[in-house]
Amino acid sequence: MSQGAAHAPRPGGSKLSWAINDARVLTGRYVNHILRQPDEIVTSVMIPTVMLLLFRYMLGGAVDVGSGSYVNFLMPGVLTIGVTLIAVSTTTGVFLDMQEGFVDRFRSMSVLSVAVIIGHVVAAVLRAVIGLTVLIGIGFLVGFRPSANPLQWLGAVLVLLLFATAVAWISALLGQVAKSTAGASGLALIITFLPYASNLFAPTETIAPGLRAFVAHQPVTHVIDSLRALFLDQPLGNSLWLALLWWGGITLVAVPLSARLFRRRFA
């Protein structure tokens, strides 16, 4: 895609309006994929649901979380797993678009160069929203009882949206550097592994000392701690600010890096 074709203003509107329209059209394409292939959402819901049921009814009694119920402790971590599972399909989807000639069709057209990536990211966040809504509903069915007020619910939703957006941009970036479909899926596992190496299943202070330092400071732990504090009306401490700094900063780095890599490959 030439720089002129990618950025030249087109008749009938400003450069910004055409850029927004390009991103909207391509987002619609990927949303249609969601409607035609709902298995991606089913997978992102099924795995966290199985883990929720397994730990809620089989292993929850072995974990001491203090005075609260284990399902309330577990649910924020289950939601982060649901978000990170979007990484697999997003990374693979971006890779396939790079390799199968879809992007090449735009080389001679006046299309925003990174609209393809933006479309993938927006569709990924929409998949995450749908999956999270279903997971929260399932959580209520198995005993999840948050004590959050409306403002705290709003804060929790915003944290999850920021997390989903950051994960989607990282996934898109990994899809561009992958060399094969299997490689794209493998790179996505880097992201999907992070919630399992957090305090998802047990309090941080109960983890072995050597691993505890990593768990306490890795970015997904701050998301989980923030969600627990917001959902259960507990003190936030530094968890919210750390979550915002980590995932806001990751997004600010991933967006221009992904756009630059895309332009370099298809200029």
Side-chain angles (χ1 to χ4, degrees):
M1 187 183 302
S2 68
Q3 292 294 326
H7 300 286
R10 291 168 285 191
S14 67
K15 183 176 178 179
L16 176 61
S17 66
W18 278 107
I20 294 173
N21 186 65
D22 291 340
R24 180 187 61 80
V25 170
L26 286 167
T27 297
R29 174 180 183 263
Y30 300 120
V31 170
N32 285 334
H33 285 183
I34 297 175
L35 299 176
R36 292 197 300 266
Q37 298 174 331
D39 54 295
E40 294 179 358
I41 294 178
V42 171
T43 300
S44 67
V45 170
M46 180 179 64
I47 295 175
T49 298
V50 170
M51 298 192 68
L52 173 63
L53 297 177
L54 175 65
F55 280 85
R56 167 72 172 90
Y57 292 109
M58 294 184 65
L59 303 174
V63 181
D64 182 10
V65 295
S67 59
S69 69
Y70 185 63
V71 66
N72 284 346
F73 177 87
L74 183 65
M75 197 65 201
V78 170
L79 295 178
T80 64
I81 293 176
V83 170
T84 56
L85 285 174
I86 70 174
V88 178
S89 56
T90 303
T91 303
T92 304
V94 170
F95 171 78
L96 292 176
D97 275 354
M98 300 297 102
Q99 299 297 317
E100 294 183 348
F102 175 72
V103 177
D104 291 333
R105 302 172 193 173
F106 299 140
R107 288 181 182 274
S108 60
M109 301 169 60
S110 182
V111 176
L112 177 69
S113 60
V114 294
V116 172
I117 305 300
I118 295 173
H120 272 292
V121 169
V122 175
V125 173
L126 289 176
R127 284 200 305 273
V129 169
I130 296 170
L132 289 170
T133 302
V134 175
L135 284 172
I136 290 173
I138 294 172
F140 277 113
L141 291 177
V142 300
F144 178 50
R145 296 294 182 268
S147 51
N149 59 40
L151 186 60
Q152 289 167 323
W153 267 101
L154 177 61
V157 169
L158 292 177
V159 169
L160 285 168
L161 287 177
L162 173 62
F163 182 48
T165 301
V167 168
W169 275 107
I170 298 170
S171 303
L173 181 61
L174 293 176
Q176 294 183 74
V177 301
K179 303 300 181 183
S180 66
T181 304
S185 298
L187 288 173
L189 289 177
I190 298 172
I191 304 173
T192 56
F193 169 75
L194 283 175
Y196 300 95
S198 70
N199 59 355
L200 191 166
F201 302 115
T204 305
E205 57 271 17
T206 66
I207 298 172
L211 182 60
R212 187 187 307 161
F214 172 78
V215 167
H217 296 96
Q218 71 115 322
V220 176
T221 293
H222 300 313
V223 173
I224 295 174
D225 284 343
S226 298
L227 294 176
R228 283 181 182 143
L230 290 167
F231 280 137
L232 304 179
D233 192 21
Q234 296 175 350
L236 276 167
N238 294 324
S239 59
L240 179 59
W241 297 114
L242 289 171
L244 295 177
L245 286 173
W246 263 108
W247 295 102
I250 288 171
T251 303
L252 290 175
V253 172
V255 171
L257 187 59
S258 183
R260 182 178 180 182
L261 180 60
F262 187 95
R263 293 191 184 101
R264 180 179 296 176
R265 289 190 60 180
F266 294 96

